[in-house]
Amino acid sequence: MSRKSDTDGAPKKKGRKLLLVVVIVAIIAVVGACASGGSGSKSSDKGGESATATSGSKSTKKGNSDSSDDTKINADKFKKIENGMSYEQVKQIIGSDGTEQTTNQVGDITTTIYEWKSDGFGVANVTFQNDQVVNKAQFGVNDQSTAKATMDKYNQVQTGMTYDQVKGIMGGDGELQSDTKISGHTSQLYSWAGESVGSNATITFTDGSVSSKAQYGLDG
């Protein structure tokens, strides 16, 4: 896979690294839910391992996605992508082929991650297992939430809370960073920006309730 080294800029490179971390964290959360719930099958364990084993895997291009504005990912298109969709369905939503980032196979499960770029520095990765979406993640594609996180609000968030409860504490919807579904278990990762530049609160919901939270640089 070829990449632009001089024109993409530092924000895009940083975004891609953060996006990969988000994908891995979300899949690990789902695989953990499978294990703790006792309902994880052999296939789901393989799927979790396959989705995270990205280093050293082959990297080729499925297609090109930067020909025109209407062939790039945006917030509306990202929202329309649902777990269980095929690659062709996602392609029709976005209007272009994705660029293959990694592909690997463990047993009878083939996992492939494709990337689509936005008009700006944003990128979205969609993970397919056996041609079905199991994860979508974005950086710089969705509109940032107008609700602001503070340290006081962050401290009020407790494990087991629902999204609506956290939304009520934060004062509005968060920005969906990642959405994963494997073997019937789901994981969504939302973020709320803080008042100061770069500060944020990140909350992970596994099967509909808070399973972990993290913050950086929050005030108040």
Side-chain angles (χ1 to χ4, degrees):
M1 178 194 69
S2 61
R3 291 193 180 182
K4 296 179 183 179
S5 58
D6 296 325
T7 59
D8 283 354
K12 183 175 287 187
K13 292 179 181 178
K14 181 181 178 182
R16 287 176 176 172
K17 290 179 181 179
L18 289 174
L19 195 58
L20 183 57
V21 171
V22 166
V23 171
I24 292 173
V25 168
I27 292 176
I28 287 174
V30 172
V31 173
C34 291
S36 63
S39 59
S41 64
K42 184 177 181 181
S43 294
S44 68
D45 290 338
K46 289 180 180 178
E49 178 184 354
S50 178
T52 56
T54 58
S55 59
S57 59
K58 71 177 184 179
S59 180
T60 58
K61 283 191 175 181
K62 179 87 175 184
N64 217 331
S65 60
D66 56 0
S67 58
S68 63
D69 291 348
D70 60 358
T71 64
K72 294 184 178 181
I73 190 72
N74 58 37
D76 289 337
K77 292 177 180 179
F78 184 78
K79 291 175 183 176
K80 292 178 181 178
I81 299 171
E82 297 180 358
N83 290 312
M85 284 185 170
S86 67
Y87 174 81
E88 286 301 320
Q89 288 175 307
V90 174
K91 175 182 172 181
Q92 288 178 8
I93 289 172
I94 299 175
S96 64
D97 280 301
T99 300
E100 185 178 311
Q101 300 298 295
T102 67
T103 185
N104 51 70
Q105 184 167 352
V106 177
D108 58 354
I109 297 177
T110 300
T111 301
T112 306
I113 299 177
Y114 293 100
E115 178 186 272
W116 280 269
K117 299 177 183 178
S118 70
D119 282 330
F121 63 84
V123 291
N125 283 353
V126 182
T127 304
F128 297 83
Q129 286 189 348
N130 292 347
D131 198 36
Q132 288 191 327
V133 175
V134 295
N135 173 270
K136 66 176 182 178
Q138 63 83 24
F139 178 84
V141 173
N142 278 350
D143 297 328
Q144 195 173 74
S145 172
T146 56
K148 295 297 182 181
T150 65
M151 198 65 198
D152 178 62
K153 293 178 181 179
Y154 176 82
N155 288 334
Q156 294 178 50
V157 176
Q158 304 295 324
T159 56
M161 284 184 172
T162 65
Y163 174 77
D164 284 340
Q165 288 176 307
V166 175
K167 174 183 173 181
I169 292 172
M170 293 294 182
D173 285 303
E175 180 184 355
L176 179 63
Q177 300 289 325
S178 175
D179 186 4
T180 304
K181 183 174 183 179
I182 299 176
S183 298
H185 292 275
T186 63
S187 176
Q188 289 85 32
L189 189 149
Y190 287 88
S191 69
W192 284 262
E195 296 291 347
S196 56
V197 177
S199 62
N200 64 82
T202 302
I203 313 294
T204 301
F205 298 83
T206 302
D207 292 335
S209 60
V210 174
S211 56
S212 66
K213 64 177 185 175
Q215 67 85 23
Y216 174 78
L218 292 182
D219 301 318

